[in-house]
Amino acid sequence: MSHKQAGGPAGESAADWCLYQLNGAAEFEVSEGIARAAAMQASPHCPANVPQPSSEEVTSGADIISTVEFNHTGELLATGDKGGRVVIFQREPESKNEPYNQGEYNVYSTFQSHEPEFDYLKSLEIEEKINKIKWLPQQNAAHSLLSTNDKTIKLWKITERDKRPEGYNLKDEEGKLKDLSTVTSLQVPVLKPMDLMVEVTPRRIFANGHTYHVNSISVNSDCETYMSADDLRINLWHLAITDRSFNIVDIKPANMEDLTEVITASEFHPHHCNLFVYSSSKGSLRLCDMRASALCDKHSKLYEEPEDPSNRSFFSEIISSVSDVKFSHSGRYMLTRDYLTVKVWDLNMETKPVETYQVHDYLRSKLCSLYENDCIFDKFECAWNGSDSVIMTGAYNNFFRMFDRNTKRDVTLEASRESSKPRAILKPRRVCVGGKRRKDDISVDSLDFTKKILHTAWHPTENIIAIAATNNLYIFQDKVNSEMH
Amino acid sequence: MEFKLEAHRIVSISLGKIYSARGQRGGLKLHKNLLVSLVLRSARQVYLSEPGCPPEPPPAAAAARPPEEEPAPRTAAWAAEPPPPPPQDEAGRDCQGPRPRRCCCGEENRGGCAGAPPPPHCPRKRSAGERGQAGSPVKKPRREEEEPPPPPPSPPGEQEDMETSNVASLISIFGSSFSGLLSKEPKGRRRPPLDGGEAAAGTAPAEAAAETGQICCDEPVLRTLNPWSTAIVAF
């Protein structure tokens, strides 16, 4: 494995990122229902480093990746898509025999996590789209993860079977009973290796806990409980108990007409099992302590930055809505993403964030058009690197941005087939906002707003990132990282 | 004036979004609709408070005006899909009762905005609302629920209350295929929220008066439109 620690003194934006892998069908236009593939790939997320000769295929948007998550060691990478499927990739262990395949993420397992359902009482269809996946810390040979759609959370157990017993006395190879007269001696069955089989089984189904749409789940550091949050409520579940959950936050007003804000994301503190944070559509964060009371409606700390009056517009409220909140690995900071910025908050300071980074401020003058085409409602995620020195988030035109907190440098990179040859270093991109335009700059008006990077994940310890661009999964590695192999 | 135009445009866009949200797979997205209603409210406030609106008629006159009075020329301003012919049963059910064209009255932002002839609503924009209604069998039962007799006209004193209180204008949108947009839900008429309306999500507390699937986007209606009440109650 790589010896380079993420967050070394050189700083991550000094890191050279190169495309390591690209999984997914060749890009196609995705509209609400129908999409046409320029090149056909039979299954989603299958390795496709070279576009196949064209044959057109009409597919739905079911392949659109809706969540990406590394497990705690980084060995496994799970993606969920709009069609309710989960694909798990496993990193190939180092091997001296095949130096170039080291560290490659190959498909480990694919399964259908959620199916579309129909709520007869409300006459509503419940989408099967996977909103979030969270891995449980590994406690034995099996891996477990939680996946959720709008209403139901499921606990999946992933086990491997690579040996099977052979040499039964009473049964033959195919399992048929042997004729007893042919049995002349006794043998002890022996485990023989077999082709690896990955079995995924649903161990728990946590249903009927939410009236509104579940937007986040978070596993507690106690490894026994987890929470799920919808627009108005947060529930605490025990991983082993499916028939009840505790409601720990309820911001539903007595009169729905008085509703002014909703919960947009939530997460448990990485070390303190009693603390969790949730963000609101008004841009505030609330840190709650479960020791204080059973119902944590009253926050322990409220993190809110007063609005800048000079930036006021019709859309101020929308763009201040927090779309994602993540604790740093250290537990000292929180990272939030709103429409135009990412902010780092110190848990000890409630009045304002300690750092604010502009992701794409050039969009500020275009808010009305973005409102019209619904882009203003896009929910971008954000991520920390392993050492909490660099933060990353996605943007439009398949751009993603990284900000180095130490050097204060930032970089814009693009996840696209055209500009990424495997192992070639990604070239930083620049969006020009009038004024001097350099070669290769892209103007704000040429940005493709249908190509948005909402979901990104950073390996827990190494400089490996997974970027979901519509239906494609890009895995980038720091060049130094890959050269060590 | 520019702000007014922009506000106007934003209001139409917002209404369009709320409407189209109905048919969305997966049900209404509470968060998005809340944000849209926030924008709608801000835009509406700007629109109503901007100078340049036609002068307001005296409150008394407005209230007294018979419902059938013809709507202001506002219709023209509202670009929208041509309204399909309204269903028979709703034809008559017009701006009834307390849809006080309070328009300018009772509205804090007087700003001389025009209600021009505060036309009591009236079948302006049936458009999308109607279509939606016709299309889905799901909506029929709800409509039936809303058949109740028109609300009793509320006392004049209540007008202001209704204005500033949480009139369930948008609620109806979700409950009765957009008929609610005409707003004017007399306070008394509103069904008490059922346990947060959870069980009845989607079958919003039928604001009875709201049957007629019209979208009245004219000035007076705008004033009474309280985006808050909103969608959310539909849940």
Side-chain angles (χ1 to χ4, degrees), chain B residues 191-230:
Chain B
R191 258 194 232 154
L194 328 147
D195 173 27
E198 276 160 6
T203 65
E207 307 319 302
E211 337 315 1
T212 53
Q214 317 161 3
I215 302 179
C216 291
C217 289
D218 69 344
E219 187 100 30
V221 178
L222 267 189
R223 290 172 214 280
T224 57
L225 206 57
N226 188 338
W228 277 159
S229 35
T230 337

Side-chain angles (χ1 to χ4, degrees), chain B residues 5-183:
Chain B
L5 285 175
E6 176 165 14
H8 187 256
R9 180 163 162 249
I10 291 175
V11 168
S12 340
I13 295 172
S14 306
L15 290 173
K17 285 190 191 302
I18 292 176
Y19 166 71
S20 57
R22 301 213 59 200
Q24 234 171 33
R25 197 170 168 246
L28 283 167
K29 308 256 183 276
L30 186 62
H31 184 200
K32 180 176 174 187
N33 283 283
L34 176 65
L35 294 176
V36 170
S37 60
L38 284 174
V39 170
L40 179 58
R41 182 215 231 185
S42 316
R44 169 179 157 252
Q45 278 173 353
V46 166
Y47 184 73
L48 295 177
S49 59
E50 276 282 313
C53 312
E56 47 178 294
R65 205 161 314 208
E68 286 71 28
E69 242 192 34
E70 248 347 85
R74 293 276 152 184
T75 332
W78 294 83
E81 318 92 292
Q88 281 311 324
D89 58 327
E90 299 187 331
R93 199 127 4 125
D94 258 349
C95 334
Q96 291 258 357
R99 246 125 345 85
R101 260 320 133 253
R102 343 209 189 117
C103 39
C104 319
C105 346
E107 170 69 43
E108 44 258 44
N109 297 328
R110 295 286 175 101
C113 276
H121 39 284
C122 298
R124 246 16 80 121
K125 282 301 147 107
R126 298 213 165 228
S127 66
E130 284 307 335
R131 261 188 248 135
Q133 207 167 29
S136 162
V138 173
K139 299 186 179 128
K140 285 210 185 111
R142 283 191 222 134
R143 267 175 56 199
E144 269 135 31
E145 277 177 53
E146 294 149 22
E147 300 305 27
S154 54
E158 266 195 44
Q159 290 181 16
E160 257 182 63
D161 281 338
M162 284 188 264
E163 190 54 71
T164 54
S165 74
N166 302 318
V167 172
S169 41
L170 285 182
I171 295 176
S172 347
I173 293 172
F174 300 94
S176 51
S177 58
F178 239 50
S179 42
L181 257 198
L182 20 139
S183 70

Side-chain angles (χ1 to χ4, degrees), chain A residues 116 121-128 150 211-213 231-233 252 254-262 264 281 314-315 317-318 321 368 371-374 377 379, chain B residues 6-7 9-10 13-14 17 25-32 34-36 38-39 42-43 46 138 166-168 171 190 193 195-196 198-199 201 228-229 232-233 235:
Chain A
L121 188 63
K122 301 176 191 175
S123 297
L124 289 177
E125 193 177 2
I126 298 170
E127 278 190 281
E128 67 278 28
D150 282 340
T211 305
Y212 304 96
H213 295 179
D231 294 314
L232 297 178
R233 299 192 175 101
K252 183 166 187 271
N255 186 350
M256 278 297 263
E257 293 172 356
D258 299 330
L259 183 74
T260 54
E261 70 184 318
V262 297
T264 51
S281 55
F314 286 121
F315 309 104
E317 273 147 338
I318 301 189
S321 175
C368 195
Y371 177 70
E372 239 178 309
N373 64 18
D374 272 359
F377 300 106
K379 296 188 183 172
Chain B
E6 176 165 14
R9 180 163 162 249
I10 291 175
I13 295 172
S14 306
K17 285 190 191 302
R25 197 170 168 246
L28 283 167
K29 308 256 183 276
L30 186 62
H31 184 200
K32 180 176 174 187
L34 176 65
L35 294 176
V36 170
L38 284 174
V39 170
S42 316
V46 166
V138 173
N166 302 318
V167 172
I171 295 176
R190 229 182 322 139
D195 173 27
E198 276 160 6
W228 277 159
S229 35
I232 290 124
V233 181
F235 279 92

Side-chain angles (χ1 to χ4, degrees), chain A residues 87-375:
Chain A
V87 180
I88 302 178
F89 297 84
Q90 183 187 43
R91 195 175 187 197
E92 287 304 317
E94 280 187 33
S95 143
K96 289 182 192 138
N97 299 336
E98 289 181 36
Y100 299 111
N101 276 347
Q102 283 162 19
E104 202 173 80
Y105 282 87
N106 294 324
V107 177
Y108 180 62
S109 171
T110 303
F111 60 96
Q112 187 75 31
S113 169
H114 286 73
E115 298 272 5
E117 285 172 45
F118 196 77
D119 180 337
Y120 295 96
L121 188 63
K122 301 176 191 175
S123 297
L124 289 177
E125 193 177 2
I126 298 170
E127 278 190 281
E128 67 278 28
K129 173 169 76 98
I130 306 295
N131 292 337
K132 281 286 181 318
I133 289 175
K134 286 282 147 84
W135 289 93
L136 267 53
Q138 191 177 11
Q139 286 171 333
N140 50 39
H143 291 99
S144 301
L145 60 78
L146 288 170
S147 67
T148 185
N149 69 347
D150 282 340
K151 296 286 185 188
T152 304
I153 304 122
K154 294 187 183 180
L155 174 67
W156 294 89
K157 186 160 143 186
I158 301 133
T159 47
E160 282 184 8
R161 191 194 293 266
D162 61 354
K163 301 189 231 320
R164 66 158 181 247
E166 276 179 23
Y168 281 109
N169 291 294
L170 296 178
K171 292 186 199 171
D172 66 15
E173 293 290 315
E174 283 126 39
K176 284 192 288 196
L177 283 175
K178 281 185 193 170
D179 181 357
L180 284 179
S181 56
T182 63
V183 179
T184 51
S185 62
L186 287 179
Q187 55 183 346
V188 176
V190 177
L191 287 174
K192 293 258 173 76
M194 60 178 256
D195 286 340
L196 180 65
M197 220 170 65
V198 179
E199 297 173 333
V200 181
T201 47
R203 297 307 299 257
R204 307 265 188 272
I205 298 190
F206 304 92
N208 303 318
H210 291 279
T211 305
Y212 304 96
H213 295 179
V214 175
N215 53 53
S216 44
I217 47 177
S218 176
V219 183
N220 203 347
S221 50
D222 65 9
C223 302
E224 284 188 2
T225 56
Y226 77 94
M227 69 170 168
S228 56
D230 66 31
D231 294 314
L232 297 178
R233 299 192 175 101
I234 301 183
N235 291 338
L236 181 72
W237 304 80
H238 190 285
L239 284 164
I241 300 171
T242 57
D243 61 356
R244 69 198 104 120
S245 70
F246 290 99
N247 175 240
I248 53 177
V249 173
D250 186 339
I251 64 169
K252 183 166 187 271
N255 186 350
M256 278 297 263
E257 293 172 356
D258 299 330
L259 183 74
T260 54
E261 70 184 318
V262 297
I263 297 170
T264 51
S266 64
E267 199 183 42
F268 268 118
H269 191 280
H271 311 310
H272 303 300
C273 58
N274 55 298
L275 290 180
F276 66 91
V277 69
Y278 70 90
S279 60
S280 83
S281 55
K282 277 191 170 169
S284 61
L285 296 174
R286 284 173 174 79
L287 184 71
C288 300
D289 188 334
M290 294 196 290
R291 296 172 302 187
S293 70
L295 190 58
C296 301
D297 280 357
K298 199 155 165 288
H299 53 262
S300 296
K301 280 189 190 282
L302 171 65
Y303 302 83
E304 210 170 25
E305 182 176 28
E307 193 193 340
D308 177 0
S310 62
N311 275 337
R312 186 114 186 85
S313 76
F314 286 121
F315 309 104
S316 301
E317 273 147 338
I318 301 189
I319 63 172
S320 64
S321 175
V322 173
S323 51
D324 193 19
V325 64
K326 293 266 170 47
F327 275 104
S328 63
H329 292 89
S330 63
R332 165 97 190 257
Y333 299 99
M334 297 180 293
L335 181 64
T336 58
R337 174 70 154 99
D338 52 58
Y339 193 63
L340 298 178
T341 68
V342 276
K343 295 177 178 165
V344 177
W345 300 78
D346 185 324
L347 250 63
N348 300 315
M349 186 156 84
E350 298 168 82
T351 50
K352 60 184 168 80
V354 290
E355 294 156 32
T356 299
Y357 300 95
Q358 300 295 333
V359 180
H360 39 203
D361 201 57
Y362 44 79
L363 296 183
R364 201 178 282 276
S365 52
K366 306 207 173 294
L367 294 180
C368 195
S369 324
L370 293 167
Y371 177 70
E372 239 178 309
N373 64 18
D374 272 359
C375 284

